[in-house]
Amino acid sequence: MDMQWENNLKLANCTFRDPKVDRNPWGFCNLPQGNGTLSFLIIGNSYAANHASQECEPLIVTTSPYCSGAVKTQQAFLKDIDTYKPDVLFLSSRYIEPNVPLGTTDVKNDQLYIDMMNKLKKYEEKVKKVANPVSHLHYFEALRHHTPIEMIILFLVISLSIIGDAQAGLGFDANQNIRASSFDLQSISTSTFECTKDNGYDLFFGRIYKSNGEVDYKGVQNIRNAVAAGLKTVDAYMIPCLTSNCPSAERQDSDNFQVYIAINATKGIQFGTLWLDIEELFVSWPADKSFNRQFILDMINSASKMGQSVGIFTERDNWKSIVGDWNGASFVPLWWLSYTVESNFNGFISFGGWEKPKARQVNANLKGPCNVGVIAVSYYE
């Protein structure tokens, strides 16, 4: 098995820096020039096969017997960066050394954490971008304490670290259990939002209107706190009300219509897009698809007349069940509901006239960072 694994890692187009010392795939390999504009360098231990594999961890002096020259290797990593001057530095490593109990109740006072962050800063000073989990999340602390399902969040954050100028990121919604028949939002303070921002979440989706026709004041306050915390993007969403005693979808003879009620509740708060939650989980939509289409258009038009940008949150089957084969709302962005562990839009098949979503909810029942509790995580570009 080990031999098969090693053979699968071999790259035929590698030019090894020192053929007398390096052996495929466990050596320093120079790859052919590609068509892109960025150069990259990968350093690490055996996880960095075909590149700067030194059997040493790049963020800590490794005591493993496989890393006999740990201090010299740390210096060699820095020397390689100076020599090759990469735009992006990948730290690809199996972190063994940090897999020990924390030395303090506060991770930021843990000596291993301090050592690793100091080494990370040295790398960051030399390149434009460091693709590394520690830069977004306390990776080694996660290795010690997080369950496999919680590591899905870590996987998403890590994969986003290499995107750079693409302006992609992770966002979340502060639900307790969004897939339940009914759910209540949790309250999140400004300081907690500052913590989640430090952990890689720079977008927040806050609910401001519920399917029973009431304003969600807890969600409104969360949006206010997220803005105060300085998150890059703060959006809102509302679940339409469709019972007989609900306000109308657009202005009739008063301001008693749903979008106005929702937006007016956030008066004085500058948020981004208002997303309309179009799914069957919380709302019993009529069988009349023509009515549903007009209702959605009325809500979009109502928001637009108020100067509010608007989008649609839905998934393929729900959309077709509610409005059929209709693309009349494709002029607004799509927040796509589709669960995955990937931080991308892979698997998207055009529907409703949308060729590409703006965001993707990838999981709705994950334990968030900073003691936030259960969150719904979304990837966005």
Side-chain angles (χ1 to χ4, degrees):
M1 176 65 75
D2 289 342
M3 183 60 70
Q4 291 178 350
W5 174 250
E6 183 171 318
N7 288 335
N8 287 335
L9 289 174
K10 292 181 178 179
L11 295 178
N13 57 350
C14 272
T15 301
F16 285 93
R17 181 168 59 184
D18 189 348
K20 295 181 179 179
V21 177
D22 299 330
R23 63 185 181 89
N24 196 343
W26 312 116
F28 193 103
C29 163
N30 287 298
L31 293 169
Q33 179 68 40
N35 296 322
T37 59
L38 298 177
S39 62
F40 67 89
L41 175 68
I42 302 176
I43 63 174
N45 53 19
S46 58
Y47 277 23
N50 293 305
H51 298 283
S53 179
Q54 303 280 357
E55 292 298 340
C56 298
E57 301 170 47
L59 294 179
I60 195 167
V61 175
T62 312
T63 60
S64 165
Y66 295 104
C67 183
S68 57
V71 176
K72 289 184 178 180
T73 300
Q74 292 284 326
Q75 296 171 348
F77 284 148
L78 293 171
K79 183 179 179 180
D80 283 339
I81 296 171
D82 289 335
T83 299
Y84 293 95
K85 297 179 174 56
D87 296 301
V88 182
L89 176 68
F90 288 82
L91 305 186
S92 181
S93 178
R94 178 187 179 189
Y95 287 95
I96 303 171
E97 195 73 19
N99 193 23
V100 295
L102 286 167
T104 173
T105 55
D106 184 356
V107 66
K108 292 186 178 180
N109 293 325
D110 182 84
Q111 191 57 50
L112 283 175
Y113 172 83
I114 294 172
D115 291 343
M116 294 174 78
M117 292 305 292
N118 286 338
K119 287 184 172 58
L120 177 62
K121 289 177 182 178
K122 289 184 179 180
Y123 294 137
E124 289 177 331
E125 291 171 356
K126 293 177 175 291
V127 298
K128 295 179 181 179
K129 179 75 174 178
V130 175
N132 165 61
V134 178
S135 62
H136 296 283
L137 197 62
H138 306 316
Y139 177 53
F140 64 92
E141 195 273 337
L143 285 175
R144 300 179 201 178
H145 301 294
H146 287 195
T147 62
I149 189 64
E150 290 166 340
M151 292 302 288
I152 293 176
I153 298 178
L154 178 61
F155 171 82
L156 294 171
V157 175
I158 293 170
S159 61
L160 286 171
S161 67
I162 68 172
I163 295 176
D165 295 335
Q167 300 299 313
L170 286 180
F172 74 100
D173 171 21
N175 64 288
Q176 294 286 8
N177 187 355
I178 200 169
R179 296 298 100 187
S181 58
S182 62
F183 69 96
D184 187 27
L185 295 183
Q186 54 191 305
S187 297
I188 304 179
S189 66
T190 300
S191 60
T192 301
F193 274 118
E194 291 172 346
C195 178
T196 61
K197 182 176 66 172
D198 291 341
N199 279 272
Y201 294 91
D202 50 14
L203 167 62
F204 177 68
F205 300 90
R207 186 181 67 183
I208 61 175
Y209 193 81
K210 298 183 285 188
S211 60
N212 61 1
E214 296 179 356
V215 171
D216 191 327
Y217 289 103
K218 190 181 292 185
V220 171
Q221 185 60 47
N222 282 341
I223 289 176
R224 180 177 287 107
N225 294 343
V227 171
L231 269 68
K232 184 169 69 175
T233 305
V234 180
D235 287 352
Y237 72 93
M238 61 180 294
I239 304 173
C241 178
L242 282 151
T243 60
S244 57
N245 60 343
C246 292
S248 62
E250 64 176 348
R251 185 189 298 271
Q252 302 293 338
D253 55 357
S254 71
D255 288 334
N256 186 36
F257 59 104
Q258 295 186 37
V259 169
Y260 176 85
I261 295 170
I263 296 176
N264 191 57
T266 65
K267 195 172 183 179
I269 308 174
Q270 296 294 322
F271 67 88
T273 301
L274 174 63
W275 299 93
L276 308 179
D277 188 331
I278 310 299
E279 53 178 334
E280 296 177 305
L281 181 62
F282 306 112
V283 177
S284 295
W285 288 85
D288 186 347
K289 292 180 172 57
S290 296
F291 171 87
N292 296 340
R293 295 173 182 178
Q294 190 59 51
F295 185 92
I296 293 170
L297 281 178
D298 287 344
M299 296 195 75
I300 292 174
N301 292 333
S302 296
S304 298
K305 289 176 182 178
M306 294 181 68
Q308 175 61 54
S309 59
V310 64
I312 298 291
F313 172 78
T314 192
E315 60 91 37
R316 183 184 181 88
D317 290 340
N318 269 240
W319 184 255
K320 287 193 172 183
S321 177
I322 294 169
V323 299
D325 293 319
W326 179 62
N327 61 5
S330 61
F331 60 95
V332 300
L334 171 67
W335 177 11
W336 179 37
L337 170 60
S338 174
Y339 296 151
T340 180
V341 296
E342 298 182 16
S343 53
N344 53 45
F345 298 141
N346 288 353
F348 180 76
I349 299 174
S350 177
F351 72 91
W354 289 291
E355 297 299 328
K356 182 181 179 180
K358 176 66 176 178
R360 177 183 191 175
Q361 187 175 101
V362 295
N363 200 301
N365 194 28
L366 291 179
K367 185 178 183 300
C370 309
N371 297 316
V372 171
V374 177
I375 62 175
V377 179
S378 292
Y379 164 80
Y380 75 94
E381 291 184 1

